[in-house]
Amino acid sequence: MGPADVMYELAGIRKVFDGGDVALDDVSLAVGRGERVAFVGPSGAGKTTLFRILNLTLRPTAGTLRVGGIDVAGLSGIALRALRRQVGTVYQQHNLVGRLRVVHNVLAGHLGRWPTARALLSLAWPQHVASAGEALARVGIAEKLYARTDTLSGGQQQRVAIARVLVQGPDVILGDEPVSSVDPSLAAGIVRLLRDIAEATGKTLLMNLHSVDLALEFFPRIVGVRQGRIAFDLPPGKVTPELLATLYAGATAEEGAVPGSDGVLPTSRVCRPVPGLK
Ligand SMILES: Nc1ncnc2c1ncn2[C@@H]1O[C@H](COP(=O)(O)OP(=O)(O)O)[C@@H](O)[C@H]1O
Ligand SMILES: [Mg+2]
């Protein structure tokens, strides 16, 4: 990987919160442009903290972070905001405004790129309806453009959140447990959608997933995180049941045991073969 092909480069990243919690401890990692990586690990492992550092809303306590070759430590103001806009995040809670029509929530993806007055106008009079319509078509709910957002199902609302990120037009999409609030039967469809979008557009896709099965099915690279450290960084075919048992060891039954796509732990977990992978 030459420097131009590297999207993220982390060296010795550490995050200590005010209370003294060490959320990340010496994390080093490189992610190539267009790469797709899933992060798995027990609750409290530091995954969300890592993603907040990657979307530049949280500064590390120590270590170096480069985004697209740029060391972010020295950035502030306009330069920092410009780099932040290159990263779009889809959260577990999609943060949509329920009483607004879908089009307005999608157009909110433009916020930050436009001056405030224009951004607000765009929310009042959807002047960029075409971009919202395109994004909604991409996520499979074009017909919902003018629907009131809170009339949509949970899965549809998460698609709106993805459309909003598409309108933002980032180089990187981060999904922090984007399907944890979605009906399990719809979760795979949404992860697949994000995977397909990333593949078609060359965007880098990083996703925290509660479901190890979804990570193994849709991602060519799996990073296990435990106690603020990287426990393994492997292709799915090399992620053994033993590695997963160690990753989740000691976690409570509810949030711990290696979760499947239904959140249920089979007592002896078998690593399923991944399509297209030897
Ligand atoms: N804002 C915060 N203030 C203090 N401690 C925090 C904060 N956010 C996360 N932590 C702590 O950092 C650790 C990692 O949390 P988090 O990154 O949310 O893990 P995960 O997403 O893997 O569940 C936990 O011990 C958590 O309590
Ligand atoms: Mg989290």
Side-chain angles (χ1 to χ4, degrees), residues 114-200:
W114 293 347
T116 309
R118 191 167 170 216
L120 289 175
L121 279 177
S122 78
L123 298 181
W125 294 294
Q127 46 187 272
H128 284 67
V129 174
S131 67
E134 264 168 46
L136 284 173
R138 190 71 191 80
V139 302
I141 51 169
E143 74 284 2
K144 299 294 185 189
L145 189 62
Y146 291 111
R148 224 180 102 138
T149 305
D150 53 13
T151 65
L152 271 53
S153 72
Q156 288 171 334
Q157 291 191 24
Q158 198 54 296
R159 286 171 191 264
V160 174
I162 295 168
R164 180 177 54 184
V165 163
L166 293 180
V167 158
Q168 183 189 333
D171 289 339
V172 182
I173 298 179
L174 302 182
D176 190 5
E177 308 228 11
V179 293
S180 288
S181 299
V182 169
D183 186 313
S185 67
L186 303 174
I190 288 177
V191 174
R192 182 184 293 112
L193 172 69
L194 282 163
R195 191 271 313 266
D196 291 347
I197 287 170
E199 207 168 40

Side-chain angles (χ1 to χ4, degrees), residues 28-65:
S28 298
L29 185 74
V31 176
R33 268 183 202 278
E35 206 176 350
R36 299 190 303 278
V37 188
F39 293 77
V40 296
S43 182
K47 305 180 300 296
T48 292
T49 302
L50 177 63
F51 273 34
R52 291 179 62 202
I53 286 173
L54 295 177
N55 70 16
L56 309 178
T57 56
L58 195 65
R59 282 198 191 265
T61 309
T64 312
L65 168 63

Side-chain angles (χ1 to χ4, degrees), residues 230-243:
I230 294 179
F232 60 78
D233 183 347
L234 292 167
K238 295 242 159 68
V239 178
T240 62
E242 291 74 26
L243 280 173

Side-chain angles (χ1 to χ4, degrees), residues 87 92 101 104 277:
V87 184
Q92 177 175 350
R101 291 180 194 282
H104 301 301
L277 222 120

